[in-house]
Amino acid sequence: MSDADVIALALAARPAKPVRPEQAEPRPGPRVEDRLRHAQKMDALGQITGGIAHDFNNLLMAINFNLESLAEEVPQSPATEPLFDGARQAIEQAHGLIGHLLAFARRQPLSPTSLDINESVAATQQMLRRALPAGIAIETRPGGNAGLVLADRNQFETALLNLALNARDAMEGGGRLTIGTADITLDAAYAALHPGAAAGRYVLVAVSDTGDGMRPETIERAFEPFFTTKTGPEHSGLGLSQVYGYAKQTGGHARIDSEPGGGTTVQLFLPRFGDAAPAAPPTAKPGAAHGETVLLVEDSALVRNAVAKMLADLGYRPLTATGADEALALIEAGGRIDLLFTDMVLPGGLCGEDLAEAARRLRPGLGVLFTSGYSDIRIDEAVGESGRFGFIAKPFSKRQLAPRLRELLDGAVAAV
């Protein structure tokens, strides 16, 4: 599909001014160079943003754990309950902001599943209607051949919500929001004109509004974190950045078509995935701890101390290391270790995946639980299909950690 065809398909969802093919088809030369520079700038912003979000996630993890511990120690009263509730709400809001930053940086831990895009769009209708005022009509135009994608359902629904809220702000006097889907194939010519896009088969999700539209200079910056033309504390400038990062981390592409007074269409291109959804694995109720030894590998002292205390409170024996070399030395020493619990980002030459591979060479069958404040590596790709592996995203609570530990430990063939 050419660039002109993509634009024509997406713009059909909104009553914009007519777009002639010669206007829609970008010309090679300076325009492509501008897009390449913009793609490089977005990559650089993503690297900086991901690093900052990772550090803040570690701090948030320690704050959340200490707040939980304090709540267990201090008797609750009418005077203390509002203080604890306020702190918890602040942590939740901070977690949400960090999540948007991680999504933009393509470091958001994802749980990809096989999604029917038309079904997923239909499932969000009630949520979108609650988020939009009565003066905005919602219309869906599902493509009859729009297929499956391998994507995180929650993040996809968040992306749709962010696009809907962005459209709401552009239609203050009311209007229409249209969500269309289609199965398309992007050709090599399109990919050459859009750095960051790859030729292939995609499911297109086009979200269009009849609002004010954007100027070219606004479109250039619309996906950047914290960029917004709106005022007020409710406009963080992170909604479109989450959409951009989600599309990129899923292996897809995102773009904006708009003009002043002509509405806006945001297009998500998500790679097509098969034709049938895999069956969900059966779930089992987790058991209780039996004093198993968990080797915890974490370079941040604040997080390491907090998680070690969580493990002890849950009935495990924590054994700690600050990096891969120290962890491997403990494994080689021959003591009992029932589970390796490691951050994916470690100091030195080995990362969490490298550590897991080396540890399992020394202790075949050793279960591994990964954690991270961000990750650009899918866990299933990093560790393969064999063995016992799991993942929990930071920040996590003691209540969230408990079942993840048991899922792995209860599947052990023997203590090692």
Side-chain angles (χ1 to χ4, degrees), residues 111 113-115 119-120 123 151-158 246:
S111 299
T113 59
S114 181
L115 295 185
E119 183 276 329
S120 297
D152 186 300
R153 176 182 291 272
N154 290 333
Q155 290 299 315
F156 175 71
E157 293 178 355
T158 298
Y246 172 71

Side-chain angles (χ1 to χ4, degrees), residues 75-337:
Q76 297 295 290
S77 69
T80 60
E81 285 182 3
L83 301 178
F84 282 109
D85 289 342
R88 292 188 187 99
Q89 291 175 16
I91 289 173
E92 289 176 1
Q93 292 179 16
H95 188 199
L97 290 174
I98 292 172
H100 283 305
L101 291 175
L102 289 172
F104 168 75
R106 309 174 215 175
R107 301 295 191 271
Q108 179 81 326
L110 300 179
S111 299
T113 59
S114 181
L115 295 185
D116 182 311
I117 284 297
N118 285 340
E119 183 276 329
S120 297
V121 169
T124 64
Q125 295 310 294
Q126 186 175 1
M127 173 184 67
L128 296 182
R129 292 189 186 282
R130 288 197 300 265
L132 300 179
I136 295 179
I138 301 176
E139 180 182 354
T140 58
R141 297 182 180 180
N145 59 344
L148 302 177
V149 299
L150 186 64
D152 186 300
R153 176 182 291 272
N154 290 333
Q155 290 299 315
F156 175 71
E157 293 178 355
T158 298
L160 284 184
L161 177 60
N162 284 332
L163 291 175
L165 295 178
N166 200 68
R168 176 201 62 188
D169 295 337
M171 298 186 289
E172 294 182 354
R176 185 174 73 252
L177 177 75
T178 304
I179 305 174
T181 65
D183 180 273
I184 67 169
T185 298
L186 299 182
D187 56 23
Y190 179 95
L193 290 170
H194 296 83
R201 193 177 180 188
Y202 293 84
V203 174
L204 169 64
V205 182
V207 180
S208 302
D209 66 61
T210 57
D212 298 333
M214 302 182 190
R215 296 183 179 276
E217 57 269 25
T218 301
I219 295 175
E220 286 294 317
R221 300 193 60 193
F223 285 135
E224 295 179 13
F226 299 112
F227 175 79
T228 179
T229 58
K230 304 294 182 179
T231 59
E234 70 276 15
H235 301 292
S236 66
L238 291 174
L240 286 179
S241 68
Q242 182 272 340
V243 172
Y244 173 87
Y246 172 71
K248 289 293 186 179
Q249 192 173 2
T250 304
H253 172 54
R255 61 176 290 183
I256 298 174
D257 287 302
S258 184
E259 59 181 272
T264 298
T265 295
V266 180
Q267 304 159 42
L268 300 182
F269 301 83
L270 303 177
R272 179 74 181 253
F273 173 71
D275 296 307
T283 58
K285 185 177 180 179
H290 303 291
E292 295 97 334
T293 298
V294 176
L295 175 54
L296 170 65
V297 189
E298 169 63 60
D299 63 305
S300 169
L302 284 173
V303 177
R304 187 172 61 253
N305 294 337
V307 178
K309 181 65 165 55
M310 285 187 193
L311 292 170
D313 290 346
L314 290 171
Y316 299 99
R317 175 179 172 264
L319 187 62
T320 62
T322 60
D325 291 341
E326 185 179 349
L328 290 174
L330 290 171
I331 295 173
E332 290 173 343
R336 179 186 177 99
I337 297 175

Side-chain angles (χ1 to χ4, degrees), residues 1-11 19-26 187 190 193-194 255 257 267:
M1 178 171 286
S2 70
D3 194 72
D5 294 331
V6 171
I7 291 178
L9 176 63
L11 293 184
V19 179
R20 297 191 299 273
E22 62 270 21
Q23 293 175 319
E25 184 70 44
D187 56 23
Y190 179 95
L193 290 170
H194 296 83
R255 61 176 290 183
D257 287 302
Q267 304 159 42

Side-chain angles (χ1 to χ4, degrees), residues 44-60:
L45 279 174
Q47 292 177 11
I48 295 171
T49 301
I52 293 173
H54 170 262
D55 292 341
F56 270 97
N57 238 343
N58 275 343
L59 294 174
L60 191 61

